[in-house]
Amino acid sequence: MAKNAQQTAEREPVETDRLLLSHARLRDVAALFRFLGNPAAMQFTHVDETFADCRKRVLVHEWFRRRDGFAPWVIRKKSDRTVIGWGGVYTDPFDPGWGPEVGYYFHADSWGQGFATELLEASLHFAAHVYRLPALTAFVHPDNAASRRLLEKSGFELREFVPEMNRYCLKRRF
């Protein structure tokens, strides 16, 4: 990544209409674990079994941010700065080989309010114009129809079903 893009990517928080997107800090882990460790909230994806697992996941992603220039953002509501999610563009350190991905994980209280759409729009902008990626991958559980619709509406195309992940793989090129 060019130095100028790196400097732009490091400015934070990134603001959207209703969200503040920032790098994860250790002090954010407790708020993130409230939903990343909740099996109901994470019914279609990975659940962190313990606080230590969540902390490790967040810290490893932040190490990848230093390597790649991007990693999931902590997502806060602009109105009250409450942590409601975690997501954005990242390279998955725990399931490598797929290249840059986009993903989003939200507290169940914030579902259905358009926050994933807003995050995805910001992520696509950064992927194309700041990180200058040629493409992004996304994965969606077969039972998560809302997420699949959102990804397809945002220009992702279905590529394949990955049985070992029990996920559809979608791709978007820039």
Side-chain angles (χ1 to χ4, degrees), residues 20-40:
L20 297 172
L21 311 172
S22 61
H23 300 181
R25 308 286 192 261
L26 279 177
R27 67 180 176 262
D28 297 322
V29 175
L32 293 170
F33 184 62
R34 284 189 199 100
F35 58 91
L36 294 176
N38 180 329

Side-chain angles (χ1 to χ4, degrees), residues 35-174:
F35 58 91
L36 294 176
N38 180 329
M42 298 293 105
Q43 63 185 316
F44 298 122
T45 190
H46 172 84
V47 178
D48 289 323
E49 300 276 329
T50 67
F51 180 86
D53 292 339
C54 185
R55 183 178 186 269
K56 176 182 176 183
R57 178 158 52 145
V58 169
L59 291 176
V60 171
H61 273 284
E62 285 303 312
W63 185 88
F64 270 54
R65 181 186 309 281
R66 289 189 297 277
R67 185 192 80 175
D68 298 339
F70 49 83
W73 288 305
V74 173
I75 306 163
R76 289 179 172 79
K77 283 181 12 185
K78 197 186 278 188
S79 61
D80 63 7
R81 299 191 184 269
T82 303
V83 173
I84 60 167
W86 192 58
V89 179
Y90 60 91
T91 304
D92 192 338
F94 303 103
D95 197 2
W98 295 98
E101 300 178 25
V102 66
Y104 36 85
Y105 314 91
F106 284 93
H107 191 287
D109 291 348
S110 59
W111 291 354
Q113 298 178 47
F115 293 126
T117 300
E118 203 166 318
L119 171 71
L120 186 55
E121 288 172 1
S123 298
L124 294 175
H125 171 80
F126 269 73
H129 302 290
V130 177
Y131 311 139
R132 301 204 182 277
L133 299 172
L136 275 180
T137 300
F139 294 95
V140 64
H141 189 279
D143 295 333
N144 195 346
S147 186
R148 183 171 170 184
R149 274 192 310 274
L150 171 61
L151 290 165
E152 289 176 338
K153 188 172 83 174
S154 299
F156 284 82
E157 296 177 357
L158 181 63
R159 294 294 185 207
E160 65 182 307
F161 182 74
V162 184
E164 60 273 15
M165 295 173 71
N166 190 30
R167 303 280 185 279
Y168 289 108
C169 175
L170 295 92
K171 190 86 136 185
R172 160 128 186 207
R173 299 201 182 281
F174 297 104

